[in-house]
């Protein structure tokens, strides 16, 4: 049967009767569908390349339970998704925070006074204390003193702590940081907290805020439960890198990079 010139036949959806639609209404519907699809694409792109992310949820997301997402749940907005893995922060204490504030240096080092560092140390003390850390500040430490402080801290019992933090305020070079009497390797300071040396912080965040870059040596790993490994074990235990769960934050990039 012929249709009037100003009436279009709209192909019905499955299970729906055939319908008639005015041409102008059809064009408006098509246009609206196009706009909605384009808007959805723009929104997804914005979430992907957003140059100004919301960092207000960084600390809460760090201080939450470590778990896997339920793959059966419906997808959420990227900004609202729970990270695949989160650290378990359900401990009696948040943890210890050591701030080493080196301001004055021996003349032989050639390093000048770091004016303003005391204000930085004070602000960091207040910040980490507000997060629940047990904070201690040590001023003008020699290389041996820094080594001793961190070695003793790594030998403490951290079983009731969720994490550990260390902040080094000093002069620095690539892979090195200065004590008041010279420079020492950053790796020698942080190595005290490796998984094979500080067992009570195994699989817990170890946060270091320093002024130099790190090395690239390979890591042999350590078993998470420190049990024996056997080729015939029906339920083999897994291993994690001995330097896993470290966060290194640097104030500058290496020279020439």
């Amino acid at each position: 049967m012929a249709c009037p010139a100003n009436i279009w036949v709209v192909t019905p959806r499955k299970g729906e009767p055939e319908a008639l639609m005015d041409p102008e209404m059809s064009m408006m519907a098509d246009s609206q569908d196009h706009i909605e699809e384009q808007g959805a694409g723009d929104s997804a792109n914005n979430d992907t390349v957003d140059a100004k992310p919301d960092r207000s949820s960084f600390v809460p997301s760090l201080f939450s339970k470590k778990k896997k997402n339920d793959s059966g749940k419906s997808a959420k907005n990227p900004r609202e998704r729970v990270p695949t893995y989160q650290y378990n922060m359900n401990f009696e204490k948040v943890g210890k925070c050591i701030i080493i504030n080196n301001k004055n240096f021996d003349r032989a080092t050639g390093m000048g006074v770091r004016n303003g560092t005391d204000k930085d140390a004070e602000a960091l003390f207040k910040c980490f204390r507000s997060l629940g850390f047990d904070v201690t500040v040590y001023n003008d430490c020699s290389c041996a003193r820094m080594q001793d402080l961190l070695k003793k801290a790594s030998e403490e019992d951290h079983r009731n702590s969720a994490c550990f933090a260390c902040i080094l305020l000093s002069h620095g070079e690539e892979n090195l940081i200065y004590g008041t009497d010279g420079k020492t390797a950053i790796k020698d300071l942080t190595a005290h907290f490796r998984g094979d040396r500080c067992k009570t912080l195994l699989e817990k965040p170890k946060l270091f805020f320093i002024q130099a870059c790190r090395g690239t040596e390979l890591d042999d790993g350590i078993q998470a439960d420190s049990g024996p490994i056997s080729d015939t074990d029906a339920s083999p235990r897994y291993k994690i890198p001995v330097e896993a769960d470290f966060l290194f934050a640097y104030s500058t990039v290496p020279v020439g990079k």
Side-chain angles (χ1 to χ4, degrees):
M1 180 180 67
C3 297
N6 62 340
I7 299 296
W8 288 2
V9 176
V10 180
T11 302
R13 297 178 180 176
K14 185 177 181 180
E16 294 184 355
E18 187 172 84
L20 299 180
M21 179 180 290
D22 183 87
E24 294 182 359
M25 294 176 63
S26 176
M27 293 175 63
M28 291 175 62
D30 291 342
S31 176
Q32 182 65 25
D33 288 344
H34 174 70
I35 292 174
E36 291 179 357
E37 291 174 3
Q38 183 179 16
D42 290 344
S43 175
N45 289 337
N46 288 339
D47 283 346
T48 301
V49 300
D50 190 358
K52 191 177 182 182
D54 180 7
R55 297 184 176 86
S56 62
S57 61
F58 171 74
V59 172
S61 66
L62 177 64
F63 296 168
S64 53
K65 191 173 183 180
K66 184 176 182 180
K67 60 184 179 181
K68 288 187 177 181
N69 280 343
D70 183 356
S71 58
K73 294 183 180 179
S74 59
K76 297 181 179 180
N77 185 294
R79 291 173 179 268
E80 299 174 356
R81 288 176 184 163
V82 178
T84 305
Y85 292 100
Q86 295 184 12
Y87 287 104
N88 176 19
M89 305 302 288
N90 188 25
F91 288 87
E92 181 182 332
K93 298 181 291 185
V94 174
K96 186 170 188 174
C97 174
I98 291 178
I99 299 176
I100 295 179
N101 177 37
N102 290 341
K103 179 179 181 179
N104 304 293
F105 300 84
D106 295 349
R107 181 176 299 180
T109 64
M111 297 292 107
V113 177
R114 297 181 60 253
N115 294 315
T117 189
D118 292 335
K119 290 186 177 180
D120 292 339
E122 180 182 359
L124 288 165
F125 176 86
K126 293 179 179 178
C127 175
F128 278 80
R129 186 176 60 178
S130 71
L131 293 173
F133 284 89
D134 179 15
V135 187
T136 306
V137 179
Y138 298 93
N139 294 312
D140 291 342
C141 297
S142 65
C143 293
R145 175 65 169 157
M146 291 193 294
Q147 287 282 359
D148 184 61
L149 286 172
L150 294 182
K151 185 175 185 296
K152 287 183 177 179
S154 70
E155 294 170 347
E156 294 179 6
D157 188 348
H158 299 275
R159 283 179 293 183
N160 294 326
S161 298
C163 62
F164 171 81
C166 176
I167 304 169
L168 303 176
L169 304 176
S170 186
H171 289 298
E173 297 178 6
E174 186 171 353
N175 297 321
L176 303 170
I177 194 159
Y178 275 83
T180 56
D181 58 346
K183 50 193 174 183
T184 188
I186 292 172
K187 194 176 181 98
D188 291 344
L189 298 176
T190 62
H192 297 299
F193 298 89
R194 287 166 37 131
D196 55 346
R197 300 182 186 179
C198 183
K199 300 293 182 64
T200 57
L201 281 175
L202 190 64
E203 296 189 281
K204 297 179 181 180
K206 294 166 276 284
L207 317 175
F208 288 86
F209 300 87
I210 52 185
Q211 293 183 350
C213 66
R214 52 186 160 171
T216 57
E217 292 184 11
L218 297 178
D219 191 325
D220 294 330
I222 183 176
Q223 271 179 224
D225 59 3
S226 298
I229 296 179
S230 172
D231 293 337
T232 60
D233 193 342
S235 302
R237 300 172 177 85
Y238 70 99
K239 294 178 70 176
I240 62 172
V242 295
E243 292 186 355
D245 308 304
F246 276 81
L247 168 69
F248 295 95
Y250 302 92
S251 61
T252 59
V253 297
V255 176
K257 298 292 184 178

